[in-house]
Amino acid sequence: MNLQTSNSYQGLQILPIRNLAVKEYSELLSRSFRNFKPTDSYLNWLYFQNPRGLVFGYDAYDGDVLVAHYACIPIKINGYKLDSLLSLNTATHPDYQGRGIFKLLASKTFEAAASTFANVIGVANSKSVGGFVKHLGFNAIGSLELRIGQLSRKVEGARNFSKEELQWRAECPGRPLKVVSLGNGAYSLSTKPFRLAPHLKSIVFEDRAAIGDAQLNGIGMTLDWHRGVNPILKLPNFLKPSPLVLIFKPLLETDSDVLSSFSFPDFDAF
């Protein structure tokens, strides 16, 4: 779904995200974040090739200059009747920060989504989580841990993928994932986040998977959150790209307790 409205705000023009502006998005995001340099092909893949639906969000322009951007994509969490939104990229040009522009873009996105989506789920770093909770109505659910241990998940409350989504997710430009079928609709996904790092592993489920939970053989390293489970061996925060917190905003379906786990393939961290 792509929004089709526009208006002005404090001299700015507010427009829906559009594929003609991908180069502008990659430039703004690269300028805003030291360690995040998305390519045009990556953003095209993420925003406009997702089999579940198009990107959902808004931009702010000062004349012809893109000054702020907020993007979500639709995902499916098993246990909610409707699709959820996954909150992803947000950026504001340094010269325009402190004016409440991001809050405006996010609020307009959620207002437009309120009649269509179950809720909004995101993963925020330690610097931004306070703003999502204080200003945008999110709840902090728990921390994602970089850990070593058993890699099991329940189907209920986990992100589900159609066959087309699973193929799309595995073919992330520049950051592909290795996919191995575990049977009964469960798949092992693994990636090497950087050259000297060990492989990260996780499990994802195909739509309508019938098993109660799945487990990889042995143990592995992962980045995830499990409701009510404390990792036996977790790695310190300084080894993570940034301490990460799972956040939730209710829309049409308000029960965050449905969520049972969230792992790195679920939010495109690597």
Side-chain angles (χ1 to χ4, degrees), residues 59-246:
D59 301 324
Y61 281 85
D62 187 354
D64 295 330
V65 179
L66 176 69
V67 299
H69 172 70
Y70 180 57
C72 304
I73 63 169
I75 63 171
K76 176 62 179 176
I77 302 292
N78 191 29
Y80 293 119
K81 295 178 181 180
L82 301 172
D83 283 356
S84 298
L85 277 181
L86 178 61
S87 177
L88 284 173
N89 296 331
T90 173
T92 303
H93 189 285
D95 294 343
Y96 292 80
Q97 293 177 2
R99 303 186 188 183
I101 301 173
F102 165 61
K103 182 179 178 181
L104 170 74
L105 297 186
S107 296
K108 286 181 66 65
T109 300
F110 304 150
E111 181 182 357
S115 62
T116 308
F117 290 95
N119 40 59
V120 187
I121 299 166
V123 175
N125 62 35
S126 57
K127 294 182 179 179
S128 63
V129 64
F132 279 99
V133 171
K134 182 177 179 180
H135 300 297
L136 295 172
F138 280 82
N139 298 315
I141 303 299
S143 297
L144 281 81
E145 300 293 349
L146 183 62
R147 66 178 181 88
I148 298 172
Q150 293 289 342
L151 306 178
S152 59
R153 300 179 76 179
K154 294 181 178 180
V155 174
E156 188 76 9
R159 180 175 175 181
N160 285 190
F161 294 78
S162 66
K163 288 183 180 296
E164 294 78 12
E165 283 180 276
L166 186 62
Q167 181 177 356
W168 165 81
R169 181 65 188 89
E171 295 175 350
C172 174
R175 297 184 290 182
L177 297 175
K178 181 180 179 181
V179 180
V180 176
S181 175
L182 302 175
N184 295 324
Y187 295 83
S188 163
L189 268 63
S190 61
T191 187
K192 200 175 181 69
F194 49 88
R195 188 169 61 89
L196 298 179
H199 279 86
L200 291 176
K201 297 181 180 180
S202 186
I203 295 171
V204 301
F205 300 105
E206 191 178 315
D207 280 347
R208 296 177 296 279
I211 55 178
D213 37 10
Q215 186 168 307
L216 292 168
N217 293 327
I219 62 174
M221 180 179 288
T222 193
L223 175 67
D224 66 1
W225 165 85
H226 276 253
R227 180 176 298 281
V229 176
N230 292 318
I232 296 174
L233 177 60
K234 62 182 180 180
L235 303 183
N237 284 342
F238 74 83
L239 292 176
K240 302 177 187 177
S242 174
L244 301 173
V245 178
L246 182 66

Side-chain angles (χ1 to χ4, degrees), residues 3-7 14-17 56-60 68-71 104-106 108-109 112:
L3 307 177
Q4 299 297 324
T5 61
S6 67
N7 65 292
I14 310 302
L15 297 171
I17 292 175
F56 201 94
Y58 281 100
D59 301 324
H69 172 70
Y70 180 57
L104 170 74
L105 297 186
K108 286 181 66 65
T109 300

